[in-house]
C-alpha cells in the first residue's frame, strides 16, 4: 500500500484482510442472482441468507488457516478464542436486505484488534469493486489511494447518513430522533450498510453519520478507516443516549453532530427500549 510505514505485523494483517474480503466478495457476487434461502433473526424484517453464513464460514476458515491462534467474533455466530492477542471482528455481509433485493450497498467488513485496541480494517463493496482499508497510524485508502474526510465545518450544510433497526419500537424511536436531526442538516441519506456509511464519511461522500443499535461487527473496521482518514468516530456513552449509538464525522462538524444527536435522543418519543451493547 503506498506510503505504508506501520508495524510489519499490522501490514501483514491488513494485507490478509484484503485478500479474504475480496474472496468473500466474489462469493457474494457469484451468488447474487441465485435463489435465496431467507430466515428471520431478531424480527421478521431482520434477514439472514445462506450467503451470509457461507461468507462467514469462508472468512473463518481463511483466517484460521493463516493464523490459527487468532480470536474471531462474527455476526452469524463465529466465536473462536485464540491466544495471539489478535481478534477479528467480522460482518460477512453487511447490508443483507440490500443483497436480498439485489441492490448495491452491501459489503464484507473485517475489523482487526490487537491487544483489545482497533488496529486495522477492510470494508469491501463487491458491487462497485471498492476496497476501503486502513492501518492504525499509517492512513486509510480506497483501492490503494489515500482518502480524507471532508472539510465541512457547518452542520447545516452537511450531508448526514443514518440507519434504522429492525424492531418496530426501535424504529419509532429512531424516526423521532430523525425528526429532530433533519432540520439541522443539509439532508439525510440511508444506504442500508453501516460499514459503508462510515467509509463514506472517510472519503467525503458523507460529512457525518449517526445510528442507534450499531453492533461491534458493523463498526469495527469502518471506525479505524474513518479515524485514519482524519475523521472522528465515537460510541456515545451518556446516560441519555441509547446503548450502541455511534456518531462519525468530518472533524469540522463532528462535535456539532454529536451534540445534535445527544439532544435529539432526549426528545419525546425517542426513548424506545435500550439495546444491548454491541
Amino acid at each position: 500500500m503506498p506510503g505504508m510505514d506501520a508495524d510489519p505485523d499490522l501490514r501483514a494483517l491488513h494485507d490478509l484482510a484484503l485478500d479474504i474480503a475480496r474472496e468473500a466478495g466474489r462469493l457474494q457476487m457469484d451468488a447474487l442472482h441465485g435463489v435465496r434461502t431467507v430466515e428471520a433473526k431478531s424480527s421478521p424484517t431482520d434477514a439472514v441468507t445462506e450467503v451470509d453464513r457461507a461468507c462467514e464460514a469462508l472468512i473463518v476458515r481463511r483466517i484460521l488457516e493463516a493464523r490459527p491462534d487468532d480470536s474471531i467474533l462474527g455476526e452469524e455466530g463465529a466465536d473462536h478464542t485464540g491466544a495471539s492477542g489478535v481478534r477479528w471482528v467480522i460482518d460477512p455481509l453487511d447490508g443483507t436486505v440490500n443483497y436480498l433485493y439485489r441492490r448495491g450497498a452491501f459489503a464484507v467488513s473485517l475489523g482487526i484488534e490487537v491487544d483489545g485496541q482497533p488496529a486495522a480494517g477492510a470494508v469491501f463493496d463487491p458491487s462497485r469493486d471498492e476496497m476501503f482499508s486502513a492501518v492504525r497510524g499509517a492512513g486509510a485508502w480506497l483501492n490503494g489511494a489515500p482518502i480524507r474526510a471532508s472539510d465541512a465545518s457547518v452542520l447545516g450544510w452537511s450531508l448526514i447518513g443514518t440507519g434504522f433497526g429492525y424492531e418496530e419500537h426501535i424504529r419509532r424511536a429512531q424516526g423521532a430522533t430523525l425528526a429532530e436531526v433533519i432540520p439541522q442538516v443539509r439532508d439525510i441519506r440511508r444506504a442500508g450498510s453501516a460499514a459503508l456509511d462510515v467509509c463514506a464519511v472517510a472519503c467525503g461522500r458523507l460529512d457525518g453519520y449517526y445510528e442507534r443499535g450499531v453492533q461491534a461487527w458493523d463498526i469495527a473496521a469502518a471506525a479505524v478507516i474513518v479515524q485514519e482518514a482524519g475523521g472522528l468516530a465515537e460510541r456515545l456513552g451518556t446516560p441519555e443516549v441509547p446503548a450502541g449509538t455511534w456518531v462519525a464525522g468530518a472533524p469540522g462538524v463532528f462535535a456539532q453532530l454529536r451534540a445534535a444527536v445527544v439532544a435529539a435522543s432526549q426528545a419525546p418519543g425517542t426513548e424506545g427500549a435500550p439495546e444491548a451493547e454491541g
Side-chain angles (χ1 to χ4, degrees):
M1 197 63 61
M4 183 179 287
D5 57 0
D7 182 279
D9 289 342
L10 295 187
R11 184 183 308 183
L13 286 166
H14 167 275
D15 292 350
L16 177 60
L18 265 59
D19 288 344
I20 295 173
R22 286 195 181 279
E23 188 172 345
R26 286 194 295 271
L27 189 159
Q28 291 174 10
M29 295 306 294
D30 288 347
L32 181 62
H33 295 289
V35 176
R36 295 275 77 81
T37 300
V38 184
E39 299 174 18
K41 295 199 293 185
S42 63
S43 78
T45 56
D46 185 8
V48 61
T49 72
E50 79 285 0
V51 179
D52 295 74
R53 295 193 172 111
C55 283
E56 182 156 301
L58 181 156
I59 292 165
V60 170
R61 175 178 57 79
R62 290 279 279 107
I63 292 170
L64 293 180
E65 285 175 351
R67 300 184 55 88
D69 294 327
D70 287 359
S71 299
I72 304 172
L73 175 66
E75 180 179 13
E76 306 310 332
D79 189 4
H80 175 79
T81 300
S84 67
V86 173
R87 184 172 81 148
W88 298 70
V89 184
I90 63 176
D91 191 337
L93 205 176
D94 187 44
T96 297
V97 173
N98 286 340
Y99 186 82
L100 179 62
Y101 282 84
R102 298 172 175 85
R103 297 172 58 87
F106 54 86
V108 183
S109 177
L110 306 179
I112 302 170
E113 300 171 350
V114 177
D115 296 329
Q117 298 301 312
V123 174
F124 182 50
D125 177 349
S127 69
R128 300 180 68 167
D129 193 25
E130 290 190 334
M131 178 72 77
F132 298 89
S133 68
V135 171
R136 184 178 63 207
W141 306 276
L142 169 53
N143 289 345
I147 53 175
R148 298 292 296 174
S150 79
D151 60 1
S153 60
V154 178
L155 184 62
W157 302 344
S158 296
L159 187 62
I160 305 299
T162 194
F164 304 104
Y166 292 104
E167 298 181 56
E168 181 180 345
H169 67 284
I170 298 299
R171 287 180 168 184
R172 289 184 183 277
Q174 289 172 319
T177 299
L178 177 62
E180 298 293 323
V181 172
I182 196 168
Q184 303 180 60
V185 303
R186 181 190 295 273
D187 208 347
I188 293 285
R189 295 291 182 267
R190 192 273 202 264
S193 165
L196 289 177
D197 278 343
V198 177
C199 288
V201 177
C203 69
R205 294 174 182 171
L206 291 173
D207 300 308
Y209 159 86
Y210 77 93
E211 187 171 345
R212 171 182 178 175
V214 176
Q215 302 296 319
W217 40 76
D218 300 318
I219 197 75
V224 178
I225 294 168
V226 73
Q227 289 164 346
E228 287 299 318
L232 299 167
E234 179 185 348
R235 179 178 58 81
L236 302 186
T238 65
E240 299 86 358
V241 179
T245 298
W246 275 81
V247 176
V253 296
F254 176 83
Q256 299 169 61
L257 179 59
R258 184 188 189 282
V261 171
V262 170
S265 297
Q266 301 171 48
T270 63
E271 300 86 356
E275 295 87 355
E277 293 284 347

